Amino acid sequence: MSTPPDGLPVYRVLTGPDDASFCRRVSEALATGYRLHEGPSVTFDGERVIVAQAVVWGDMGD
């Protein structure tokens, strides 16, 4: 199995407000070779929706 570029870990959790910037970060991770791990977690901090999405590198099995 190859390793992620730039010393990135094989497992990452991306978090942030549910906006276009967050969606771009997830899309960039997918384009790099990560894949979604399960569905996102969503919460509300009193002002905005916050999302967390785990991604894993390549084929790590399920």
Side-chain angles (χ1 to χ4, degrees):
M1 171 168 106
S2 65
T3 59
D6 302 324
L8 292 170
V10 296
Y11 175 87
R12 298 169 57 194
V13 177
L14 306 173
T15 61
D18 185 17
D19 59 13
S21 176
F22 177 79
C23 293
R24 277 191 291 277
R25 288 174 51 219
V26 173
S27 295
E28 288 170 2
L30 296 175
T32 300
Y34 283 90
R35 64 182 179 85
L36 299 177
H37 179 68
E38 304 291 333
S41 294
V42 180
T43 191
F44 182 70
D45 71 359
E47 295 180 19
R48 59 194 175 172
V49 175
I50 304 296
V51 184
Q53 177 63 62
V55 293
V56 293
W57 179 254
D59 184 20
M60 294 187 61
D62 289 312

